[in-house]
Amino acid sequence: MSTPGNVGADPYSAAERRTTEGTVYTVTGGDWDSLLDSVSAEEHDDRIVINMGPQHPSTHGVLRLVLELEGETVTQARSVIGYLHTGIEKNCEYRTWTQGVTFVTRMDYLAPLFNEAAYCLGVEKLLDVEAPRRAQLIRVLLMEINRIGSHLVCLATGGMELGALTGMTAGFREREEVLHLLEYLTGLRMNHAFIRPGGLAQDLPEDWKEKVTDFVKVMKSRLPDYDKLLTGQPIWRQRLEGVGYLPVDGCLALGATGPILRSAGLPWDQRKVEPYSCYEEFDFEVPTATEADCYARYRLRVAEIHESIRIIEQAVAKIEPGPVMVADRKIAWPAQLSIGSDGMGNSLEHVRKIMGQSMESLIHHFKLVTEGFGVPPGQVYSCVESPRGELGYHLVSDGGTRPVRVHVRDPSFVNLQSMPAMSEGGMVADVIAAVASIDPVMGGVDR
């Protein structure tokens, strides 16, 4: 129940309302006099509640923040999610194990290859198979290229939200180099569905080494620009230093991983603590900081781009000729099918064999494509270090050709819990910096 307050001189102006929660003021100005009266009487402890988003450039159009303000200070912050909900996990239960890749790659759409890798590692654990060495090293190569692209978007959008527009244009310029390279290597800029259970969809193009080497040269020449543009820039530092503070005990209590946890001093990285896909063979550092603020997270992401370049260079040297899919013909679709000269569909040689020479090949091809392969019953949890932290897949099989359950531990979803801890007690403007430093991708949050 609410009762109207004092009606101003203008009968068409909306007045304030007194509710059980306190006085609610309007934004039309009709209650301005009564607001001033309460201020002069020093009676008010009124707080304003505002919605930041979901239609807001700094929340990327799909995140709603409900902020309770006292002046410019945030006294309470809550996130409201679900505006991008896709039901991907449930959809996977109605598709074959291989088809699931095309769904999971669309969750965290800035890190599609990490979703594919984590999902396929889980399926391979259930199948008790291991992808060939060449396929594993190519996965590392692709993931590190993808990590650079994801971090560049974080820096670019963070720059945009804080007014550093040159940082934004530079970040998206370099990210375009990443997408061009990924398109050349996998066929698609995003949502690749290139990593498959048992290996890869197909091998890399013949001149992939030259393309990757050229990319590394470009990135090495342009990365110093970020230090000139942002790292030492006094306004950038003032907006980020001491803002969004979350110490290591807070990170552990909230389950935060990735750059947020490492900015608080804990060098936790799945590639080091639980290596997968031959990561134990690579020489790289896990950058850490102790300031536990937005500026530390920014510096860590720049440092991680440098480390990813080191890993890419080592992967180029390590990758040797060999198969990119397991030899088991019951799993090896579609990577073992020879591709037509146009890059689409099957080659004439393959069609001739299955249509004209071997009825068994045709039946097997048909069943594998339509039904998929069976996976032994059991459940598994597999995780990788995505650009945002620990990305894990819990897969359950009952022995059929489809998963019984697919559940994702998405780091954006877990890390978003830290937003109130970073923002409450700070200024409204600092909420923008805190959310940008968390780097949540709402496709992964909402799924």
Side-chain angles (χ1 to χ4, degrees):
M1 291 293 292
S2 65
T3 58
N6 299 325
V7 179
D10 185 353
Y12 298 104
S13 294
E16 79 275 9
R17 293 179 298 121
R18 292 199 182 92
T19 71
T20 53
E21 297 294 317
T23 307
V24 177
Y25 296 101
T26 71
V27 291
T28 55
D31 52 4
W32 187 244
D33 290 335
S34 57
L35 176 61
L36 290 177
D37 289 342
S38 68
V39 171
S40 59
E42 296 184 353
E43 296 169 351
H44 84 107
D45 60 349
D46 296 314
R47 293 174 179 177
I48 301 171
V49 178
I50 65 166
N51 280 311
M52 183 180 285
Q55 287 80 21
H56 191 287
S58 295
T59 65
H60 302 248
V62 280
L63 171 63
R64 176 182 168 208
L65 303 178
V66 180
L67 305 178
E68 187 180 270
L69 308 178
E70 191 167 346
E72 285 279 309
T73 303
V74 179
T75 55
Q76 197 173 52
R78 293 291 177 267
S79 57
V80 183
I81 62 174
Y83 293 93
L84 201 59
H85 185 55
T86 48
I88 287 174
E89 293 164 320
K90 184 56 76 174
N91 269 302
C92 287
E93 297 171 20
Y94 295 89
R95 301 296 190 281
T96 66
W97 292 93
T98 301
Q99 288 170 330
V101 175
T102 60
F103 282 88
V104 299
T105 189
R106 286 165 167 77
M107 287 191 190
D108 183 341
Y109 40 77
L110 292 184
L113 289 156
F114 292 89
N115 282 287
E116 296 171 24
Y119 173 81
C120 291
L121 284 170
V123 178
E124 287 161 11
K125 276 185 187 176
L126 287 169
L127 287 167
D128 196 24
V129 300
E130 191 174 74
R133 178 176 171 79
R134 180 179 173 86
Q136 292 192 42
L137 292 172
I138 291 174
R139 287 178 180 182
V140 170
L141 173 76
L142 294 173
M143 282 190 281
E144 295 306 320
I145 296 170
N146 198 179
R147 190 186 308 277
I148 292 173
S150 179
H151 281 343
L152 286 170
V153 173
C154 177
L155 302 183
T157 53
M160 173 193 75
E161 288 152 13
L162 297 176
L165 295 184
T166 317
M168 179 197 74
T169 52
F172 278 108
R173 178 189 66 183
E174 267 71 88
R175 187 210 181 204
E176 202 62 25
E177 299 284 350
V178 171
L179 295 183
H180 281 318
L181 179 60
L182 288 176
E183 183 178 20
Y184 185 79
L185 297 178
T186 71
L188 289 168
R189 286 162 61 91
M190 297 168 72
N191 304 333
H192 314 271
F194 188 75
I195 298 173
R196 304 283 177 89
L200 305 174
Q202 60 195 62
D203 209 341
L204 297 178
E206 287 183 8
D207 58 343
W208 67 269
K209 278 192 180 181
E210 291 78 11
K211 296 286 186 183
V212 173
T213 306
D214 291 344
F215 166 76
V216 168
K217 284 179 187 169
V218 169
M219 289 305 301
K220 282 186 171 180
S221 69
R222 292 183 182 173
L223 273 176
D225 293 347
Y226 290 88
D227 290 327
K228 295 176 189 171
L229 268 175
L230 299 174
T231 308
Q233 219 273 357
I235 299 174
W236 182 255
R237 292 188 67 155
Q238 287 167 15
R239 286 301 307 272
L240 296 182
E241 284 183 330
V243 171
Y245 178 71
L246 188 67
V248 68
D249 54 346
C251 292
L252 294 173
L254 292 166
T257 52
I260 299 175
L261 181 58
R262 292 192 285 274
S263 74
L266 191 63
W268 184 267
D269 189 310
Q270 295 298 134
R271 297 172 295 175
K272 288 285 191 183
V273 294
E274 293 178 346
Y276 52 92
S277 294
C278 303
Y279 264 114
E280 64 276 7
E281 299 177 18
F282 288 83
D283 177 30
F284 65 99
E285 302 298 322
V286 178
T288 57
T290 53
E291 296 85 355
D293 60 5
C294 293
Y295 188 63
R297 287 169 216 133
Y298 156 74
R299 287 191 299 106
L300 282 191
R301 288 188 174 97
V302 175
E304 285 183 17
I305 292 175
H306 286 283
E307 294 302 320
S308 289
I309 289 174
R310 280 180 65 189
I311 296 172
I312 289 168
E313 290 177 318
Q314 292 173 60
V316 169
K318 285 177 183 290
I319 295 173
E320 298 172 352
V324 294
M325 183 53 101
V326 293
D328 187 347
R329 292 286 179 180
K330 287 185 167 57
I331 300 168
W333 180 84
Q336 294 295 331
L337 306 186
S338 49
I339 309 296
S341 57
D342 58 355
M344 300 165 63
N346 307 130
S347 67
L348 290 174
E349 177 191 0
H350 181 81
V351 173
R352 197 177 295 121
K353 181 175 190 301
I354 66 172
M355 296 298 286
Q357 297 176 14
S358 170
M359 176 60 77
E360 288 75 18
S361 292
L362 177 60
I363 294 169
H364 179 66
H365 175 111
F366 183 78
K367 285 179 70 69
L368 201 51
V369 171
T370 55
E371 292 180 6
F373 49 79
V375 171
Q379 60 180 323
V380 70
Y381 177 77
S382 60
C383 57
V384 301
E385 183 68 31
S386 95
R388 273 155 284 286
E390 182 183 329
L391 170 63
Y393 275 76
H394 177 217
L395 307 176
V396 183
S397 173
D398 63 355
T401 57
R402 300 174 182 180
V404 171
R405 186 77 180 93
V406 175
H407 180 67
V408 184
R409 188 244 186 241
D410 190 275
S412 292
F413 177 75
V414 180
N415 291 351
L416 196 56
Q417 294 181 115
S418 62
M419 185 276 300
M422 290 182 187
S423 304
E424 290 173 357
M427 309 293 274
V428 180
D430 295 339
V431 175
I432 305 296
V435 173
S437 77
I438 295 171
D439 187 26
V441 174
M442 300 311 292
V445 173
D446 292 342
R447 300 194 292 286

